[in-house]
Amino acid sequence: MADAARPSLLGGSRGPSPASSPLLGRGSKTRSLPTPSSASPSPSSSASPLLRRRPPQQQPQPPTTPPASPKLPYPTSRGGNAAGPGHAFKRVTLTKPTFCHSCTDFIWGLAGYLCEVCNFMSHEKCLKHVKMPCSCVAPSLVRVPVAHCLGPPRLYKRKFCAVCRKVLESPAFRCEVCELHVHTDCVPFACSDCRQCHQDGHQDHDTYHHHWREGNLPSGARCKVCKKTCGSSEMLSGMRCEWCGILAHAACCVILPPECTFGRLRSMVLPPNCVQLLSRNFSKMHCFRISESLQTETDDDDVVDSSTQLSQKESQVSTDSGKQILKIYDGNDAVKRNQYRLITVPRIAKNEEVVEAALRAYYINDDPQDYELQTFTQQGLFCDDIINRNDTTEETQPGSVFREAVPEAWIIRVKPRDSEVVKIYPGWLKVGMACVSIRINKESTTQVVIKEVLPQLGYQLENFQDFSLVEVLMGSRQVQRMVLVDDELILGRLQDIRKTSLRQMNQTRFYIMEKNISVVRVHLFVGGLPPHLSTEEYTNILKDELTIKTNLVSVSHVYSFQGAVVLEISCFSEAERLYMLAKDTAVNDKPLSAVVLPEVLQTKLPQNCSPLLVFVNPKSGGLKGRDLLHSFRKLLNPHQVFELTNGGPLPGFHTFSQIPNFRILVCGGDGTVGWVLGALEEVRHKLVCSEPSVAILPLGTGNDLGRVLRWGAGYSGEDPFSILISVDEADDVLMDRWNILLDAQEPLESSENGVLEPEPPKIVQMNNYCGLGIDAELSLGFHHAREEEPDKFNSRFHNKGVYVKVGLQKMSHTRNLHKEIKLQVDQHEVELPNIEGLIFINIPSWGSGADLWGSDNDNRFEKPRIDDGLLEVVGVTGVVHMGQVQGGLRSGIRIAQGSYFRVTLLKPIPVQVDGEPWIQPPGQIIISAAGPKVHMLRKSKQKQKKTGNAKDSRNENMSASEVGH
């Protein structure tokens, strides 16, 4: 098998067909497909080996149950190899419009074939072409187990569960990294088949195959191979590669080349093989820096709402007096947690039938003969026991084993075995086989198993001590690994796991791995520290507050201006301890922030790769940032998407510091853009790519910079994929940035010694505009209103309404600003007219798109540009004048144009810079150019460049808003 295998269920992602391979297929369950004439067999010939019923004369109590409907094992292809592994199809009568999950066509007539385990529905003609495996065998087909990042349960319209294939009608889970949707009670049975987004030391590889995910595609999705519709809003159907976005039928995707090229966004995606993150003790939420507010408090084994499940089942069988409900536990752990599955069986049913139904409820594809039911009081039941429940009174038959009422709940157990066959998987991907099957007995130890497996993998026995056997539990939320000791009895270990949980046994694998002394290196970003300190001072603070162990922890990078450090930790448990402790620690009453950082292997980056570093402010734009976070994590590598409320922009810049060429996308308002540009200016000297280009996805209220760069007035639900394409095709432009020195001359009383001292000077940076007077006064009123009721400011329309309200309140107020300030431009005094507001503008957009400078020609001034090294100075006479400017009726009063400004404040005056207002005491304000110009990305006016068929590109990379929401 090539070393590029992926954790997927279809096609080249897993190599040879598992059904046809003795290594992955379930050969003991393979049976032939009945001929069409057997569609309505006689009771004696139609009984399935998994559902045998007693002949009528042997039933202990009349009337006899009707013969079972014909049930088909999973179909076989023409060559006799299984085409749809694990399914147990049964011919059913259709009572409502139904579609085939294989071909997506409507099923005409009254009969269809339904898998009793995963609810896969098929035409009779499609049975032999079914490619999707049943949920009961899907875990065994996963090539590289990768856990999911399940967010909080939410309602998702017209989405289907990946386990039971039913529609999501109640709050359900969605993976934050891939397109998995799953019911709350189906979470424990979901495959650990998420995207592998980084190398973690387990089965790493440099080449990637398609990572297929079934279903939840728009109804207009078309197959790349046959060009026919492959999506549906009526069922789970169609396949989509979660890296490149290509779409195909389940039967067609095996025709496509297995290698994935990451599609249209290949130049923007950070390749998974270029990212390394050793994260043994961290959850996937921590690895991908997903805010804890998005995490669910539900544990993996506590997700089943048993009371709801019970009430639903009772309502279903209340009208059928011939049915009964049974609680089934799969082991001691389920009993302890009171987490059970409910099954519905006839009131008179054989024990074997109940066992089979119980195995189906837990998605276990084994022979029912190997299992038995146990009560809490007795160890087992005879094979001919009759179960009768639900408060019915019946006479005890002479042959019945029950002396009293049948217990309410049952535990399904594996019958004792003296030996069995186990599969051992190689812990590397360069071996040409998926796994090795060996038989073990009560004396088989870890060492014995290693010695037996190594020769089959082509290794010499002399080196058996260099290998270890690792037990891997492939949970949907977490993949847990445990190295077994040399004298561990494997059969006893299997029995212990089965007693704990049969479900866990179905998700457990054994890997043989080579012992290698790997260097543990975890990078932890810690922010919120006091600024402007040395490495030694930061180390001392961490010793005092976090009690770091200097033999395990070292400070690798210091960002003193921002008060942050990056720790390099050589112990997993110490890294986890510091991470959790830092989140609950405050220094100088300021809480610390902790972020787990990946390591980018820049030497592996492709030549033409320019990854996109994405910053998203989830609080901007009516909370639309949260949806964009989810979309960009799906379309790109989640390691290149950073949430600004979790440590700010610095963790992202540090992660990308060694990448020779990258671009930035900032999703937020003008204030968020200024935040990122300011951080970029501070760390520019530490970046290999010191001048990355910056694009904007405007989420704020005004979004003036986004308007000037053609990104629009604000995000209103556009397709995130199209946005990324626009970023890739955008034009690089330069933009001036300005430093504003605030030097207050009014003395302030020192809190330490009571002495009057002047406020120390400070510098702020400006991108858009700086306002003094009435303009800043309105911003300050809005700022105070937002601080009082922040929850109400979640829409752009409401925010603008508050601005209007504050403006109306200030209409009667007059301020003779020209008497309260003095202006000097390029060393020349400028006489101010009678104005209430003075505004310095760097871009031709102010107050949500208004042209304050105006378009009239004026020989006194040059035509403004964002890269001309000049600022324009404009005055406004009051609130009415500002309203007229925003309405396009007037422009501002042109006062000056220059590159160096000194403003003398004679009284305290409201000041705002890029929307951030405050009251500035009397003193000096000096505005000057801030170093080199910044590179910005302006959306191209031209149509989308045609790299191949644009329609196919759009179809293959289906919108995240269509696929993921």
Side-chain angles (χ1 to χ4, degrees):
M1 188 65 177
D3 63 347
R6 291 284 302 127
S8 182
L9 300 179
L10 278 181
S13 301
R14 67 168 187 264
S17 170
S20 62
S21 169
L23 302 173
L24 284 180
R26 300 263 181 171
S28 61
K29 301 279 286 190
T30 305
R31 294 179 292 274
S32 302
L33 180 69
T35 59
S37 60
S38 63
S40 301
S42 63
S44 60
S45 63
S46 66
S48 166
L50 299 181
L51 186 57
R52 294 194 293 266
R53 293 196 175 273
R54 189 175 301 179
Q57 63 272 19
Q58 295 181 7
Q59 290 286 356
Q61 181 174 347
T64 61
T65 56
S69 299
K71 182 173 63 176
L72 304 179
Y74 59 83
T76 58
S77 62
R78 182 173 301 178
N81 295 325
H87 290 294
F89 285 110
K90 177 182 178 180
R91 193 170 188 267
V92 295
T93 301
L94 305 179
T95 59
K96 61 181 180 179
T98 308
F99 294 83
C100 175
H101 293 192
S102 180
C103 68
T104 73
D105 289 341
F106 182 77
I107 300 179
W108 296 95
L110 300 178
Y113 285 85
L114 177 71
C115 175
E116 292 186 297
V117 179
C118 70
N119 301 303
F120 191 101
M121 178 64 74
S122 174
H123 288 106
E124 182 177 1
K125 66 179 181 179
C126 293
L127 287 176
K128 63 178 67 176
H129 303 298
V130 173
K131 298 294 183 183
M132 285 306 304
C134 182
S135 298
C136 64
V137 299
S140 66
L141 306 181
V142 174
R143 188 66 173 145
V144 179
V146 180
H148 291 282
C149 293
L150 300 181
R154 288 174 48 188
L155 281 172
Y156 298 101
K157 296 181 179 179
R158 304 196 75 84
K159 299 294 182 182
F160 297 86
C161 176
V163 176
C164 69
R165 309 183 70 88
K166 295 180 179 179
V167 68
L168 303 178
E169 296 177 338
S170 57
F173 289 100
R174 177 186 68 180
C175 180
E176 297 291 325
V177 177
C178 71
E179 280 299 329
L180 178 89
H181 291 74
V182 63
H183 283 115
T184 303
D185 59 335
C186 291
V187 168
F189 308 100
C191 290
S192 54
D193 63 343
C194 193
R195 288 192 298 166
Q196 189 178 17
C197 299
H198 59 263
Q199 295 189 352
D200 60 357
H202 301 285
Q203 297 176 293
D204 297 332
H205 43 89
D206 291 334
T207 307
Y208 277 76
H209 286 189
H210 291 298
H211 186 273
W212 297 108
R213 176 74 58 197
E214 184 189 17
N216 292 318
L217 304 179
S219 55
R222 293 194 172 274
C223 176
K224 174 69 175 178
V225 178
C226 66
K227 308 302 180 184
K228 296 181 180 179
T229 301
C230 62
S232 174
S233 59
E234 304 292 336
M235 65 206 154
L236 198 68
S237 66
M239 307 295 292
R240 177 179 181 269
C241 174
E242 294 186 304
W243 282 114
C244 67
I246 193 171
L247 308 174
H249 291 101
C252 294
C253 66
V254 296
I255 303 174
L256 294 169
E259 293 79 14
C260 181
T261 61
F262 299 103
R264 174 64 180 82
L265 303 177
R266 67 179 66 89
S267 63
M268 311 177 76
V269 173
L270 184 62
N273 64 303
C274 300
V275 185
Q276 186 176 60
L277 179 60
L278 304 180
S279 55
R280 189 181 69 181
N281 289 31
F282 293 101
S283 72
K284 294 295 288 294
M285 290 288 190
H286 294 157
C287 294
F288 295 126
R289 306 164 304 281
I290 298 175
S291 291
E292 294 182 3
S293 60
L294 296 179
Q295 297 186 43
T296 174
E297 299 297 328
T298 313
D299 188 73
D300 184 35
D301 295 311
D302 295 333
V303 293
V304 184
D305 188 345
S306 299
S307 59
T308 304
Q309 193 186 160
L310 180 59
S311 62
Q312 291 175 347
K313 284 281 187 178
E314 286 177 342
S315 63
Q316 292 174 3
V317 302
S318 59
T319 57
D320 190 349
S321 59
K323 299 286 186 179
Q324 62 179 327
I325 301 172
L326 296 178
K327 294 180 182 179
I328 304 295
Y329 296 91
D330 75 326
N332 299 340
D333 186 64
V335 172
K336 179 181 178 181
R337 297 171 179 267
N338 194 30
Q339 298 296 328
Y340 52 80
R341 302 281 287 177
L342 296 175
I343 62 172
T344 304
V345 295
R347 292 187 178 276
I348 302 178
K350 289 179 59 178
N351 180 52
E352 182 183 338
E353 298 167 0
V354 180
V355 169
E356 183 186 4
L359 291 176
R360 286 201 302 264
Y362 281 96
Y363 296 92
I364 297 175
N365 184 35
D366 287 340
D367 190 345
Q369 300 292 340
D370 296 334
Y371 294 82
E372 62 184 2
L373 291 175
Q374 294 181 2
T375 68
F376 295 115
T377 56
Q378 72 186 109
Q379 292 300 311
L381 300 176
F382 297 104
C383 60
D384 291 330
D385 291 346
I386 299 174
I387 299 174
N388 197 316
R389 281 284 297 131
N390 287 7
D391 301 327
T392 58
T393 57
E394 289 197 23
E395 254 179 62
T396 304
Q397 298 299 318
S400 174
V401 300
F402 293 116
R403 299 290 188 269
E404 51 191 48
V406 176
E408 178 181 348
W410 303 80
I411 306 177
I412 185 168
R413 300 283 196 190
V414 177
K415 294 178 180 178
R417 304 174 183 176
D418 294 330
S419 67
E420 62 177 286
V421 175
V422 295
K423 296 177 180 179
I424 309 296
Y425 293 77
W428 52 90
L429 293 178
K430 296 182 180 179
V431 178
M433 59 181 65
C435 65
V436 174
S437 298
I438 63 170
R439 180 169 293 277
I440 60 172
N441 53 37
K442 294 181 178 180
E443 287 75 34
S444 298
T445 63
T446 299
Q447 204 170 75
V448 171
V449 171
I450 293 175
K451 289 181 179 180
E452 186 172 349
V453 170
L454 282 179
Q456 300 186 49
L457 297 177
Y459 284 81
Q460 300 297 324
L461 282 180
E462 299 85 52
N463 302 323
F464 76 91
Q465 66 274 6
D466 296 334
F467 294 84
S468 59
L469 194 63
V470 181
E471 176 189 311
V472 179
L473 174 58
M474 306 184 299
S476 58
R477 292 179 185 271
Q478 188 174 9
V479 176
Q480 302 176 8
R481 295 174 172 87
M482 183 178 70
V483 179
L484 301 181
V485 298
D486 289 343
D487 57 353
E488 178 89 48
L489 295 174
I490 303 302
L491 188 60
R493 180 62 187 163
L494 293 177
Q495 292 171 351
D496 290 342
I497 298 173
R498 290 190 176 108
K499 286 181 182 179
T500 302
S501 171
L502 290 179
R503 172 186 60 82
Q504 289 186 13
M505 185 65 246
N506 201 40
Q507 296 174 341
T508 298
R509 281 184 184 176
F510 294 96
Y511 283 85
I512 184 169
M513 303 188 70
E514 192 170 2
K515 296 178 183 177
N516 53 358
I517 304 176
S518 58
V519 178
V520 177
R521 190 169 57 188
V522 179
H523 298 278
L524 186 65
F525 172 90
V526 179
L529 297 167
H532 309 298
L533 299 181
S534 65
T535 302
E536 184 179 354
E537 290 172 317
Y538 283 125
T539 303
N540 292 332
I541 291 177
L542 295 174
K543 283 181 181 179
D544 295 337
E545 301 293 339
L546 304 180
T547 62
I548 64 171
K549 302 173 183 178
T550 53
N551 61 322
L552 301 175
V553 182
S554 62
V555 177
S556 63
H557 295 81
V558 174
Y559 296 94
S560 62
F561 196 87
Q562 297 86 0
V565 297
V566 177
L567 304 180
E568 187 172 297
I569 310 169
S570 59
C571 174
F572 285 121
S573 57
E574 177 69 3
E576 183 183 28
R577 185 188 71 83
L578 291 177
Y579 177 82
M580 303 306 295
L581 184 58
K583 285 184 169 293
D584 297 327
T585 303
V587 177
N588 297 339
D589 297 327
K590 184 178 181 181
L592 299 182
S593 61
V595 180
V596 181
L597 296 181
E599 181 181 1
V600 177
L601 308 176
Q602 68 275 7
T603 57
K604 291 188 175 183
L605 285 171
Q607 268 191 341
N608 298 326
C609 182
S610 179
L612 184 69
L613 174 57
V614 181
F615 292 112
V616 181
N617 188 347
K619 295 182 179 180
S620 297
L623 304 180
K624 291 179 180 178
R626 292 187 178 181
D627 292 332
L628 286 171
L629 270 172
H630 175 76
S631 299
F632 288 139
R633 286 192 186 112
K634 299 275 182 81
L635 291 168
L636 303 169
N637 190 324
H639 284 300
Q640 59 190 112
V641 181
F642 288 79
E643 186 178 346
L644 286 172
T645 54
N646 189 10
L650 197 52
F653 285 129
H654 177 81
T655 301
F656 274 55
S657 62
Q658 299 304 310
I659 296 180
N661 185 25
F662 68 92
R663 291 165 288 179
I664 300 172
L665 172 63
V666 182
C667 306
D670 286 342
T672 302
V673 177
W675 182 15
V676 173
L677 292 179
L680 173 61
E681 187 65 31
E682 292 170 357
V683 302
R684 187 188 302 275
H685 62 285
K686 295 189 177 183
L687 302 179
V688 174
C689 178
S690 60
E691 296 183 348
S693 300
V694 182
I696 300 172
L697 180 55
L699 298 181
T701 302
N703 303 315
D704 289 291
L705 185 55
R707 297 170 192 263
V708 171
L709 297 175
R710 300 179 187 153
W711 295 108
Y715 177 71
S716 57
E718 292 86 358
D719 176 13
F721 173 77
S722 299
I723 292 172
L724 293 179
I725 294 297
S726 298
V727 171
D728 191 38
E729 299 176 346
D731 301 320
D732 192 275
V733 297
L734 295 175
M735 185 183 76
D736 298 323
R737 298 186 75 240
W738 301 83
N739 283 333
I740 302 179
L741 173 64
L742 305 170
D743 187 6
Q745 302 298 324
E746 182 177 284
L748 299 176
E749 183 176 343
S750 174
S751 58
E752 296 181 359
N753 50 26
V755 179
L756 295 178
E757 296 179 354
E759 182 180 349
K762 65 177 181 180
I763 296 177
V764 297
Q765 293 182 323
M766 182 191 80
N767 300 307
N768 299 352
Y769 37 74
C770 170
L772 291 79
I774 187 62
D775 170 52
E777 197 170 344
L778 296 186
S779 294
L780 193 61
F782 174 84
H783 182 72
H784 290 328
R786 183 167 56 181
E787 282 187 336
E788 291 176 0
E789 297 178 299
D791 294 339
K792 291 186 177 181
F793 288 76
N794 54 10
S795 74
R796 197 175 294 118
F797 181 78
H798 177 270
N799 295 353
K800 290 184 178 181
V802 174
Y803 263 116
V804 173
K805 180 180 177 180
V806 173
L808 293 175
Q809 294 172 348
K810 302 290 183 181
M811 284 187 66
S812 59
H813 173 73
T814 58
R815 175 189 293 272
N816 296 318
L817 187 67
H818 62 288
K819 297 180 180 180
E820 300 173 354
I821 66 173
K822 294 181 179 180
L823 174 64
Q824 188 180 90
V825 180
D826 293 336
Q827 311 297 329
H828 299 290
E829 294 287 340
V830 176
E831 184 178 353
L832 295 176
N834 188 358
I835 56 175
E836 290 189 29
L838 185 69
I839 304 168
F840 300 83
I841 54 178
N842 184 44
I843 61 175
S845 179
W846 167 86
S848 300
D851 186 3
L852 189 59
W853 182 259
S855 57
D856 296 338
N857 293 326
D858 192 333
N859 295 330
R860 298 177 299 164
F861 307 108
E862 298 181 16
K863 184 177 180 180
R865 298 198 321 269
I866 64 174
D867 62 343
D868 57 3
L870 300 174
L871 281 180
E872 288 69 47
V873 186
V874 183
V876 291
T877 59
V879 174
V880 175
H881 187 186
M882 292 170 62
Q884 292 172 333
V885 171
Q886 291 195 337
L889 302 177
R890 292 180 62 185
S891 58
I893 302 173
R894 297 178 182 178
I895 296 176
Q897 190 180 50
S899 59
Y900 183 86
F901 306 86
R902 179 185 293 269
V903 182
T904 303
L905 306 185
L906 305 178
K907 295 175 59 177
I909 291 178
V911 176
Q912 67 97 356
V913 175
D914 291 343
E916 298 296 326
W918 70 91
I919 299 294
Q920 181 64 22
Q924 303 288 325
I925 297 179
I926 299 176
I927 304 176
S928 60
K933 303 177 190 294
V934 63
H935 289 255
M936 304 297 293
L937 289 173
R938 183 171 59 192
K939 191 174 182 179
S940 175
K941 281 186 176 180
Q942 298 177 352
K943 294 183 179 179
Q944 178 177 319
K945 299 176 183 177
K946 295 185 178 180
T947 56
N949 190 310
K951 183 177 179 181
D952 286 347
S953 174
R954 175 66 184 86
N955 181 45
E956 291 170 13
N957 297 273
M958 192 59 64
S959 155
S961 59
E962 293 175 333
V963 176
H965 295 168

